[in-house]
Amino acid sequence: MENNTVISIQNLIKRFPVGSEFFTALKDITLDLHKGEFTGLVGPSGSGKTTLLNIIGGLDSPTEGKVRVLNQPLNNTNHNERARLRRKYMGFIFQSYNLLPVYTVFENVELPLILNKMNKEDRIQKVNQAIEWVGLTNKRNSKPNMLSGGECQRTAIARALVHDPVLVMADEPTANLDAENSHNIMKILTKLNKELDTSFVFATHDEKIMGYLKRIIRLEDGNIVDDKKIKKENI
Amino acid sequence: MIRFLTKGLLRDRSRSLFPVVIITITVGIVIFTIGFMKGTMNSVFLDTAVIISGHEKVVTRAYKEESQMLPNDLALLDVDQIIENLNNEYPTHFWSPRITFGGLLDIPDNNGETKDQGPVIAMGIDLLSNETRMPEIWGLEKCLVEGRLPKTSKEVLISKKLANKLNISVGDLTTFIGTTMHNAFTTYNFLVAGTFDLRKGQADKQMMLVDISGARKALDMENAASEIFGFTHSLFYNDDKAVSVRTNYNNSYSDTSDIFSPVMLALRDSSEQMETMVDMVDVFLLIIGGVFLIIVTIVLWNMGLMNGLRRHGEFGLRLAIGESKGDVYRSMILESLIIGFTGTILGTGIGLMLTYYVQEYGIDYSEVVSSMSTSSMVMPNIFYAQITPELYYIGFIPGVIATVLGAMLSGLAIYKREMAQLFKELEI
Ligand SMILES: Nc1ncnc2c1ncn2[C@@H]1O[C@H](COP(=O)(O)OP(=O)(O)OP(=O)(O)O)[C@@H](O)[C@H]1O
Ligand SMILES: [Mg+2]
C-alpha cells in the first residue's frame, strides 16, 4: 500500500438480507483512493454508490473482503474505534443536509469540535473560519428552518470540514439544489480540496458535478465498470 | 456535550415541555384518582364507623345479640378499666365509650305543658374530656347549623331534622323520657346548645348528641357504657389489622360461657352488607387501580418510544459525526430520566395537592346519596380523597419507569441497526 493511500478496498462484497434471500449490492470491489483526490462514484440508481460510500465511512459493514481506511482495517475494529476514526478524520455531507433543527448554524458546525473535546476559544475560531469558507458569516445565528436549501448544504459542508478531516464523503450533495447552488457548492469544495488537501469522495449521478471531478469511478450493478483519472489543471 | 444537549433539549419543546406536561398530567391524574378512590372508600367506612360500628367496637356478648333494641341493661360495666386495658394492648387505636339510648323527647311550653313530643335516638359520646377526638371525627364543627357545641353534661345537640319536626330551637329546655339501665322510668332535662346536620342522608333523622357524662346521669350508668368504640389514629380502616385485633382480643378476653363478658367486633362484623363491601373494596381498588396504572403506563411507554423513534435521524447523524453508540444511548436515557423525573415530581405534587384539597373539603353529592342511605350502612354525602403513603411513589411507575423503558427500547435501534439504516428512517 502506498503511503498516501487513504482508502484501500480489496474484494469487497456486500449483501443485504431481503426476506429469506440475500441481495448482493456490491460484487467484488477492489479500489484504492489517495490523499487529495476528488473522486466521484457515478452510475445508475441502485448501482451501489451509497452502499459503497457508507462502508468506507464505517456506517455500514462489509460482508466480505478487506477495507482499510486511513491504515486501519475496518473489518476488525469495533464501533467505538470506528466512531473515533470518523470523529477525527472524516466528514460527511448528505443529500438531505441532516442539520439538527434546534441548533443554529454556528452550533451545528460546532458539534464535531465538541465531540473532539476542543477547548472553547479554539472552537469559536475554527467554527467562524469554516462558516466563512462557505460564506455564511451573516447567518451564523440562524436556525436551519430559516435557511435556503443551498445555505443548509453549505452549513453541512462547514460541519463536515470544520475539524480538518482527511477524508470527506458526500452522498448526492447537490441532488436537492438548483444549478446555480450546485455549482456554488462544487466551487467551494474544489477550493477547499486544493487549499486543505482533503480527499473527497462523491456518490452522484448529477452531470453538473462530473465536470469538477478529478477521478470518476463508474459503478453498474455492484461492479466497477470504469475508473479514470482526469487531468484538469485549471479549474 | 452535556451543555450542548441540554441546550437542544430546552429549545425543542416537543422533546422537553410537551413530554413533561403529558407526564405531569397523567401522573397527576393517577395520583388523584387513586387517592380519591381510597379516600371515598375510606370515608364510607369511616362514616359507618363513627355512627354505627367504630373500626372496632367492644360490647357485651348479650348486648351484641340484641343490639337493635339498644339494651342498656346489658351494658359494659367497669368501663374505665376495660378502656385502660385496650389502650395498653392495642395502642394502634384510640378507644372511647358510648351510650346509645332511645326514648321520647318532650318539649314543654311556657307553662310546663307538653308542646311537642317525639322519639329520639340519643348518643352519649365523649364530647368534653381533654383528649377526646369525638368532636373531630364526627365533624361537629362543620356539621353545626345553629348554636354551639355543648360545654356541660346538661347540654345537647339536636339534629336539624329532629329540631324542625319538634319545633325545637337553640336555648330550649327539653325533657328526655326513657328507662335507666336498671329498667326504671326516668326523666332528665337537657338544654339545647345547638343543632347539627351530619349531611349523611337519613342517618341523623332522630339524633341527639350528648356528652357521655350526661347520658350516664340520665340513665344511671356510672362507669358503664353500651359500647366502646376504637378508631385507628389515622382514621384509615385497614381490614386485615382490624380483624387481627378483634380476633386477638376475643381470644384473650371473651368468655363464651358468660353473656356479660366483652366481645370485640370489627367494622366488617357490623352487618352483612358491610362485610361484602369490605371484601369487595380491596379487590375493586386493585382492579381499577391496576387497569388504570397499566393504561397510563402503556401511554407513557409509547410516548417514550415515539420520542426515541422520532430522533433516529439525529442519532444517526451524531453517530456519523463520530459520537460513540454508548454515548448517544446514554444521553438519550439520561434525557428521558430527566424528563420522567421532572414530570413525575410535578405530577405527584399536583396530584397530592388536588388529593389534599379534596381530602380537606370533599366533593358534595348530597342529592344523589340521601336516597341510597340505609340504617346498617351510612352513605356519605361528601366524598373525601385520602392521601396514603403509596401516593408518594406510585406515580414513578408510569412517570419514570415507563418513560425510560420506552426510551431504552427505542434506543436499542442504535445498537441493532446499521447506522446507514438510521438515516433512511430520517428521510422517509
Ligand atoms: N438496507 C438494505 N436492504 C436491502 N437492500 C438494500 C439496502 N440498502 C440498499 N439496498 C439495495 O442495494 C442496491 C444499491 O443501493 P444503493 O443505495 O447503494 O444505490 P445507489 O447507487 O446509491 O442508488 P441511488 O443513485 O438511487 O441513490 C439497491 O438495489 C438497493 O435496493
Ligand atoms: Mg444513493
Side-chain angles (χ1 to χ4, degrees), chain A residues 165-181:
Chain A
V166 179
L167 177 63
V168 172
M169 269 145 299
D171 194 355
E172 317 265 11
T174 57
N176 287 340
L177 300 177
D178 61 19
E180 192 191 333
N181 270 308

Side-chain angles (χ1 to χ4, degrees), chain A residues 54 58-61 79-80 83 86-87 92 94 96 98 100 102-103 107 111-112 114-115 120 143 159, chain B residues 1 3-5 7-8 11-12 314 317-325 418-420 423 426-427:
Chain A
N54 284 341
L59 299 179
D60 217 337
S61 47
H79 56 74
N80 276 340
R86 285 198 299 275
R87 183 162 72 230
F92 290 86
F94 308 90
S96 50
N98 285 343
L100 301 180
V102 291
Y103 297 104
E107 288 160 345
L111 181 56
I114 293 176
L115 288 178
K120 192 154 184 196
K143 299 255 176 75
R159 181 179 63 190
Chain B
M1 192 62 195
R3 280 247 308 272
F4 188 81
L5 291 174
K7 204 152 50 174
R11 280 185 208 164
D12 186 352
E314 178 199 329
L317 176 87
R318 279 162 60 186
L319 294 171
I321 290 181
E323 200 171 339
S324 76
K325 291 186 175 187
E418 291 291 351
M419 272 168 267
F423 283 112
L426 174 82
E427 279 153 24

Side-chain angles (χ1 to χ4, degrees), chain B residues 202-379:
Chain B
Q202 295 301 307
D204 58 357
K205 200 168 78 183
Q206 301 176 333
M207 196 182 281
M208 176 172 97
L209 294 176
V210 55
D211 183 61
I212 185 145
S213 59
R216 280 175 168 160
K217 281 179 198 147
L219 303 189
D220 198 9
M221 285 182 75
E222 205 42 52
N223 204 13
S226 320
E227 300 149 313
I228 296 170
F229 279 49
F231 299 92
T232 60
H233 294 287
S234 65
L235 302 181
F236 199 76
Y237 180 69
N238 179 326
D239 189 53
D240 292 339
K241 283 198 189 127
V243 167
S244 96
V245 165
R246 168 259 267 163
T247 309
N248 180 288
Y249 181 87
N250 289 343
N251 286 340
S252 24
Y253 289 95
S254 195
D255 177 356
T256 45
S257 62
D258 176 2
I259 61 163
F260 288 104
S261 83
V263 62
M264 190 184 281
L265 306 168
L267 173 75
R268 68 150 54 236
D269 305 324
S270 64
S271 70
E272 259 171 48
Q273 252 174 309
M274 206 64 220
E275 183 168 10
T276 322
M277 179 123 165
V278 169
D279 284 335
M280 278 174 51
V281 156
D282 279 348
V283 181
F284 176 74
L285 279 185
L286 209 68
I287 292 172
I288 303 271
V291 167
F292 190 56
L293 208 58
I294 288 170
I295 292 171
V296 169
T297 302
I298 290 172
V299 168
L300 291 187
W301 164 287
N302 211 41
M303 191 187 69
L305 209 61
M306 292 313 291
N307 269 340
L309 290 178
R310 222 166 41 83
R311 294 174 63 204
H312 278 182
E314 178 199 329
F315 298 147
L317 176 87
R318 279 162 60 186
L319 294 171
I321 290 181
E323 200 171 339
S324 76
K325 291 186 175 187
D327 284 347
V328 173
Y329 194 60
R330 274 189 293 274
S331 76
M332 175 185 173
I333 302 305
L334 185 70
E335 187 177 311
S336 70
L337 262 174
I338 293 171
I339 300 286
F341 263 102
T342 313
T344 305
I345 289 168
L346 288 176
T348 304
I350 290 173
L352 285 175
M353 262 157 53
L354 268 176
T355 311
Y356 179 76
Y357 181 84
V358 178
Q359 175 177 306
E360 296 301 302
Y361 300 100
I363 296 176
D364 200 333
Y365 286 97
S366 313
E367 245 83 302
V368 192
V369 161
S370 57
S371 56
M372 289 164 53
S373 198
T374 67
S375 59
S376 61
M377 202 176 82
V378 180
M379 288 293 287

Side-chain angles (χ1 to χ4, degrees), chain A residues 217-229:
Chain A
I217 297 168
R218 191 166 294 278
L219 288 177
E220 242 165 62
D221 219 5
N223 289 304
I224 296 181
V225 293
D226 190 21
D227 180 355
K228 60 169 181 275
K229 295 201 164 79

Side-chain angles (χ1 to χ4, degrees), chain B residues 56-114:
Chain B
E56 320 270 2
K57 78 175 171 187
V58 178
V59 292
T60 64
R61 295 193 150 267
Y63 188 96
K64 175 188 154 199
E65 297 307 321
E66 323 239 317
S67 57
Q68 297 91 332
M69 300 165 67
L70 309 177
N72 280 320
D73 49 340
L74 306 174
L76 292 160
L77 302 175
D78 201 8
V79 167
D80 289 349
Q81 186 59 50
I82 300 177
I83 289 184
E84 194 184 319
N85 292 346
L86 285 166
N87 278 331
N88 290 338
E89 288 196 38
Y90 307 103
T92 49
H93 291 61
F94 58 93
W95 303 90
S96 181
R98 173 154 125 188
I99 297 174
T100 311
F101 55 106
L104 283 176
L105 203 59
D106 186 275
I107 323 298
D109 60 18
N110 291 337
N111 307 322
E113 303 289 323
T114 295

Side-chain angles (χ1 to χ4, degrees), chain A residues 14-18 23-26 43-54 60 95 171-172 203-205 219, chain B residues 420-421 424:
Chain A
K14 177 66 183 178
R15 293 190 200 96
F16 288 111
V18 179
F23 175 80
T24 309
L26 295 174
S45 182
S47 55
K49 305 181 293 290
T50 299
T51 307
L52 181 54
L53 207 60
N54 284 341
D60 217 337
Q95 174 181 339
D171 194 355
E172 317 265 11
T204 184
H205 41 212
L219 288 177
Chain B
Q421 198 62 32
K424 287 212 178 116

